Amino acid sequence: MENDFLMEIGVSGLTSRLKRLSDSLLYSTRDFYNSEGLEIEPNWHMIFLLFQKNDTLTITEISEALQLSHPGIVKLINKMKKKGYITSITDAEDSRKQQLQLSEKAHKELPKLEAYWKAGIQTIDDLLEDNPQFMALLEKLEQKVAESNFKERTLNNYYHD
């Protein structure tokens, strides 16, 4: 890329470059879905995959499995409910708890969606073809951040330099 300031500033631009890449993939995936007449969002794929492994899940279980915020998962699930892909059943033992599951519509659409997702996975494989170590490096970075987050590390660097 020519005249890319984020590349020019090196590691100082890491978070912005990751965000830019994420946004690019997200918006392009959304455009792809729209061009195919699909009414799903890019981040719903992970939810569908979780429900293929588990018949029912709670918001908390989804949040923990994906290690994403509870409010973020609530927002995502509400969108999926609105489009008819998720149904909820009030837990018999705790009325505050909702057991979630894929709807009949979701089960009906799954074979078609899986074909699109398979093509998307091939696209990611193609993009990573020259960087087979990328996923392992990403996992390593995520583990380091989980052990000690950016704030903790930065405060340590600031006060010990």
Side-chain angles (χ1 to χ4, degrees):
M1 285 184 204
E2 198 173 304
N3 297 323
D4 186 336
F5 184 70
L6 293 178
M7 288 182 74
E8 184 181 315
I9 62 176
V11 295
S12 294
L14 176 66
T15 57
S16 294
R17 287 180 67 189
L18 290 172
K19 173 80 168 109
R20 179 173 67 187
L21 177 60
S22 175
D23 286 351
S24 174
L25 292 171
L26 179 78
Y27 295 128
S28 184
T29 303
R30 187 174 287 135
D31 284 346
F32 166 68
Y33 288 160
N34 287 337
S35 74
E36 293 298 306
L38 301 173
E39 59 180 8
I40 62 171
E41 294 288 327
N43 53 1
W44 293 7
H45 181 213
M46 61 189 172
I47 301 296
F48 277 98
L49 290 175
L50 266 176
F51 278 110
Q52 286 179 311
K53 288 181 73 173
N54 306 276
D55 290 334
T56 63
L57 292 163
T58 65
I59 294 287
T60 301
E61 290 168 336
I62 295 168
S63 176
E64 288 172 358
L66 299 175
Q67 296 182 26
L68 295 172
S69 75
H70 193 275
I73 296 299
V74 168
K75 187 175 178 182
L76 195 149
I77 292 297
N78 283 340
K79 285 182 180 181
M80 291 181 78
K81 278 183 177 180
K82 189 174 182 180
K83 292 289 186 177
Y85 288 99
I86 298 285
T87 58
S88 59
I89 303 159
T90 302
D91 189 286
E93 296 173 18
D94 184 349
S95 62
R96 298 168 298 168
K97 207 187 249 188
Q98 295 289 311
Q99 292 292 330
L100 305 169
Q101 59 189 22
L102 291 180
S103 69
E104 190 174 314
K105 175 184 178 178
H107 285 289
K108 183 180 167 195
E109 294 285 319
L110 264 175
K112 179 172 73 170
L113 296 175
E114 286 172 335
Y116 286 113
W117 293 330
K118 182 179 178 186
I121 290 167
Q122 180 60 53
T123 300
I124 296 295
D125 285 341
D126 294 346
L127 291 170
L128 296 177
E129 182 178 48
D130 297 332
N131 298 294
Q133 72 283 10
F134 180 82
M135 294 304 288
L137 293 171
L138 179 61
E139 184 177 348
K140 219 174 193 179
L141 180 60
E142 289 172 325
Q143 286 172 348
K144 282 186 169 188
V145 170
E147 290 167 8
S148 178
N149 68 32
F150 185 83
K151 175 187 171 189
E152 294 164 348
R153 289 173 183 269
T154 304
L155 285 171
N156 187 48
N157 290 330
Y158 180 77
Y159 287 112
H160 289 97
D161 274 352

